[in-house]
Amino acid sequence: MIQAISMIFWVLSHLIELYSWAIVIYALLSWFPGAYQTAFGQFLARIVEPFQRWFNFAHIGMIGFAPIVALIVLQVVSYGLTFVEQIIFRLLGY
């Protein structure tokens, strides 16, 4: 039981880390002309844009901070998962 719970939290934390890297790579694609039109750019857009759209309010002039806000939110979620995992283990006596 403990191993299953631990594995679930491990998988979730690694998925959050992988998604964070996808956001960073997607943001870096803006430095290269035409990178969003490649197959890789379109793939990342389908994955990253739905989440990143929630944070499109974060911009100053022409500079958008949606990727940074999205990464901060993911980091908070990751810390929350770690906290919940610790609470579960304490409740189970481990």
Side-chain angles (χ1 to χ4, degrees):
M1 169 105 173
I2 296 300
Q3 289 177 343
I5 294 172
S6 181
M7 180 61 88
I8 290 169
F9 282 104
W10 182 83
V11 167
L12 288 175
S13 68
H14 279 77
L15 285 175
I16 290 172
E17 183 178 348
L18 184 65
Y19 196 72
S20 296
W21 277 110
I23 291 172
V24 169
I25 293 168
Y26 185 69
L28 291 176
L29 285 180
S30 68
W31 294 0
F32 303 101
Y36 287 133
Q37 284 73 35
T38 64
F40 182 66
Q42 291 174 358
F43 170 74
L44 280 179
R46 281 193 309 263
I47 293 172
V48 171
E49 276 295 320
F51 180 67
Q52 195 169 305
R53 267 190 226 123
W54 292 355
F55 310 108
N56 280 341
F57 63 87
H59 57 74
I60 298 175
M62 297 285 293
I63 300 173
F65 294 99
I68 295 170
V69 175
L71 288 172
I72 291 170
V73 167
L74 285 177
Q75 192 66 36
V76 168
V77 168
S78 178
Y79 288 146
L81 281 174
T82 302
F83 184 70
V84 168
E85 180 182 21
Q86 290 173 356
I87 289 174
I88 289 173
F89 284 150
R90 284 185 190 147
L91 289 175
L92 294 175
Y94 290 96

